[in-house]
Amino acid sequence: LEGVTMCAIKSVLRTLKPVTMPKGGPRPILEKVYMDSHCVRATNLTMLVEVRYDTGLLSPALFDFKALEEASRYSFRGVDGNGDTVLQFESVAVRSSGDPLEFPTIDVSNVEYVCRVPVDELRMVLEICDRFAANERSIRFNLRPILLERIGTQKLLAVACDGHKLACVTINAPQESTKVSQVLIPAEVRKPLVRVLRTLQGDCVISWSEDRMVIESQTTRIVIRTETDCRYPNWRSVTPKTQAKATVMITPDGTARVLESFARATKSEKNQNSRVLCTIADGRLTIKGECDSHILDLDIQSVTDGVARFWLAPHNAAALFNATDGKLTTITFHGDGEPIEFECDSVYGLVMTLIDCN
């Protein structure tokens, strides 16, 4: 670690923190970081993060993450290798503890290369899907993971659903043909994975097998035990099957008005959320709540029956407002009782499908 700056150590710890377990847990070894001569690792058993780093250690050692994080506020001085390995900082020392041979690892010998994508794009796609996937307490356990699916040789599709709304996000990424066409990212690593990706830059390479997924950037490797205890439902079965009856094309300057109308219309006089009735007729979109109604002049195409109506529940309106980032461009109505599609004009090709619109 000769010559390593305080900022460099802080940067490594920032990347490892999302997967390091807090103090007082049942597995003390998961509260530590592993160091050898060329890397630093942390794991929560489901996900392992390894940062390539020339540590200068002569032999592997374990260090308490919290102690190392506290010490990294000071300038680094060097390594004392007499007896236990000790990292010397300006006014504090961190002594190694535990047997490094006991630190958990995840085998990745059988993964296959899938594609290369920008880290920021992958992070944004997973952030979007995390908002739509069922939470960890949901009884719909098979909807808790995020599905990644290879489509042909040019696209990677990310899918998330909570039983009420479905998000499909497309990543343009030329791919190799692999034996495994899809993997499930477990619910418990959705947020930690996004937090780790926020600390990385550049491109990353995605590889996977039936039970492993590897995301590797220039400095960091992330290994995930993918979900194998459940099967993701056939999400295509809930997408609209009939021809569109009405399509609302929203101009860039009209997007904010539509989203704000949805948000305002869900608020009642008692400050409780209420459903919103959306009506498409005579070249107008009417958004009507209990206390607020808005008529917006928007471009409507191919209305076959003259009038289209659907209900928007409060939680769906909130998800629509939060997930589109102000880029909502198209609302597609297929018929009474059919799912409604909301499309966003962005590089991620987000299509949000509302399954329950009655």
Side-chain angles (χ1 to χ4, degrees):
L1 284 172
E2 290 299 332
V4 173
T5 65
M6 175 179 61
C7 292
I9 293 177
K10 279 190 171 182
S11 176
V12 171
L13 296 178
R14 193 180 303 119
T15 300
L16 298 178
K17 187 170 184 176
V19 294
T20 306
M21 302 303 288
K23 295 283 287 183
R27 297 285 302 273
I29 199 166
L30 302 182
E31 302 164 14
K32 301 179 185 297
V33 295
Y34 170 96
M35 283 190 185
D36 61 22
S37 61
H38 63 279
C39 73
V40 186
R41 296 178 194 150
T43 184
N44 60 9
L45 295 183
T46 305
M47 184 166 82
L48 181 145
V49 180
E50 176 183 287
V51 181
R52 283 182 286 279
Y53 199 71
D54 185 12
T55 66
L57 294 182
L58 298 179
S59 59
L62 297 181
F63 296 93
D64 183 81
F65 178 86
K66 194 67 178 176
L68 202 56
E69 187 178 41
E70 290 290 327
S72 68
R73 295 182 300 170
Y74 306 99
S75 298
F76 186 74
R77 296 296 189 186
V79 178
D80 178 6
N82 295 327
D84 293 336
T85 303
V86 179
L87 303 183
Q88 298 286 353
F89 291 80
E90 191 173 40
S91 58
V92 68
V94 180
R95 184 178 297 276
S96 64
S97 60
D99 183 357
L101 295 177
E102 295 181 359
F103 195 79
T105 60
I106 302 177
D107 178 48
V108 293
S109 58
N110 61 342
V111 297
E112 294 181 286
Y113 170 84
V114 177
C115 62
R116 176 186 293 270
V117 297
V119 169
D120 285 343
E121 186 168 334
L122 178 62
R123 174 184 57 80
M124 285 297 298
V125 165
L126 293 178
E127 279 186 341
I128 291 171
C129 288
D130 183 54
R131 299 168 187 166
F132 288 89
N135 62 50
E136 293 184 48
R137 297 184 300 275
S138 172
I139 60 173
R140 294 181 167 120
F141 64 91
N142 56 344
L143 294 179
R144 296 174 191 169
I146 294 174
L147 172 70
L148 286 183
E149 182 175 341
R150 182 171 53 81
I151 304 296
T153 59
Q154 297 296 319
K155 295 184 183 295
L156 192 65
L157 190 67
V159 180
C161 181
D162 65 358
H164 304 285
K165 50 192 176 294
L166 171 79
C168 296
V169 192
T170 304
I171 305 174
N172 292 319
Q175 302 166 38
E176 298 291 335
S177 178
T178 59
K179 295 178 182 178
V180 180
S181 62
Q182 59 181 231
V183 294
L184 295 177
I185 299 177
E188 61 267 28
V189 304
R190 284 176 358 212
K191 286 181 171 55
L193 177 57
V194 168
R195 290 172 59 195
V196 172
L197 291 175
R198 284 178 186 152
T199 68
L200 308 182
Q201 296 178 338
D203 289 349
C204 64
V205 171
I206 298 176
S207 307
W208 66 44
S209 65
E210 290 185 353
D211 58 356
R212 300 285 189 272
M213 178 180 177
V214 178
I215 303 170
E216 190 161 4
S217 72
Q218 186 175 1
T219 61
T220 304
R221 183 172 67 163
I222 304 167
V223 182
I224 299 169
R225 296 182 192 272
T226 55
E227 183 65 71
T228 57
D229 292 336
C230 67
R231 191 178 202 136
Y232 207 77
N234 180 13
W235 59 272
R236 290 180 175 85
S237 66
V238 299
T239 56
K241 303 296 188 299
T242 59
Q243 186 175 359
K245 288 189 174 182
T247 302
V248 179
M249 307 296 294
I250 305 173
T251 59
D253 60 336
T255 296
R257 289 190 298 143
V258 172
L259 292 174
E260 173 132 7
S261 297
F262 282 143
R264 290 173 58 187
T266 57
K267 299 296 182 181
S268 66
E269 288 181 346
K270 298 179 181 179
N271 201 30
Q272 295 176 340
N273 290 333
S274 62
R275 291 197 306 172
V276 178
L277 176 61
C278 302
T279 305
I280 304 170
D282 301 325
R284 289 184 171 87
L285 169 65
T286 304
I287 301 172
K288 185 176 182 180
E290 290 183 5
C291 305
D292 214 342
S293 180
H294 301 268
I295 298 178
L296 304 173
D297 292 318
L298 300 168
D299 179 19
I300 297 179
Q301 300 176 346
S302 64
V303 181
T304 57
D305 58 0
V307 178
R309 293 188 180 90
F310 62 91
W311 288 96
L312 195 63
H315 57 89
N316 288 334
L320 183 62
F321 186 83
N322 294 331
T324 55
D325 294 325
K327 296 176 182 176
L328 178 66
T329 57
T330 308
I331 303 174
T332 305
F333 175 81
H334 291 264
D336 294 337
E338 286 281 324
I340 310 295
E341 292 180 316
F342 297 84
E343 295 185 35
C344 301
D345 183 18
S346 70
V347 295
Y348 312 115
L350 169 64
V351 177
M352 171 179 164
T353 304
L354 295 186
I355 300 170
D356 52 352
C357 302
N358 298 315

